Structures are given as structure tokens and as C-alpha cells.
Amino acid sequence: MTRRVDPATRLIDVYVVLPKGTKLLLDSYVRGEIQRTEKDALVVPRSAVLPNESREYKVFAVENGRAVKHAVKIGAENPKEVQVIAEDLHEGDPVVTVGNYELEDGMAVEIPKPK
């Protein structure tokens, strides 16, 4: 990586070693995505993650019919999902994706039954 953003294109050059047998022409360009992964991270819908002005993030899970606020760190993202890291959030915990901006820790939450 060149560690310098090109002011005209706002891109950076990244150099990678391609697997043997890759057939690309010299000086050709490819587009790729750099993804980082975190150990013990979970993936939640983007709508479950709430940012604040301090660039801190939270997710509300549901336990015993109540909202439980979890402070999370953000990992990799795509347009639909976000990787979150939190010690007190576990795989399978239901997270709130609708109406979570109005929630406070401990508020009653109703999970609608699938139709």
C-alpha cells in the first residue's frame, strides 16, 4: 500500500500477490474490497446499529421482553450488515431493527410473531 491518498482520484494504490494461475494483463486495473474481520464478532442488520455524535455505537437486544442496551465496536461493514464486537452480546440474541431510536434501556419490547 502506498499510504498516500491520490488527491485527484481520492484512491490509494494497494499491492497484492495474486494466486498462481491468475490471468491478468500487465498494468491492468481491478477493483476489490478490503475487508477486515475481528475475532468473536457478530454480524447484525445495519438498521440495528445506532450511532451517536461521539462516534460511539449501540445495539438493543431483547431479553425477557425488555430492551437491553449494548455498547458495541464496529468492524467490517457492507450496505446491509455491520460486524459488531461486544462482550455482552451473544450469537442468537434477538436485536431490535425497527423503532430502536425511541428505545431506552429496560423498556418493554414486543417481538411480532412471523406471519
Side-chain angles (χ1 to χ4, degrees), residues 3 9 15-17 21 25 28-29 31 41 49-51 61 71 74 77-79 82 93 103:
R3 298 186 184 262
T9 64
Y15 301 97
V16 296
V17 176
L25 297 174
S28 62
Y29 290 89
R31 179 181 171 94
V49 179
L50 302 174
I74 301 299
E77 303 177 46
N78 68 32
V82 177
D93 287 350
L103 281 180

Side-chain angles (χ1 to χ4, degrees), residues 37-68:
T37 58
E38 302 287 339
K39 185 179 178 188
D40 299 326
L42 301 172
V43 176
V44 298
R46 179 171 287 285
S47 59
V49 179
L50 302 174
N52 68 17
E53 305 81 37
S54 305
R55 296 188 49 83
E56 296 171 337
Y57 300 90
K58 65 183 172 185
V59 169
F60 282 100
V62 180
E63 293 178 21
N64 299 319
R66 301 265 175 210
V68 178

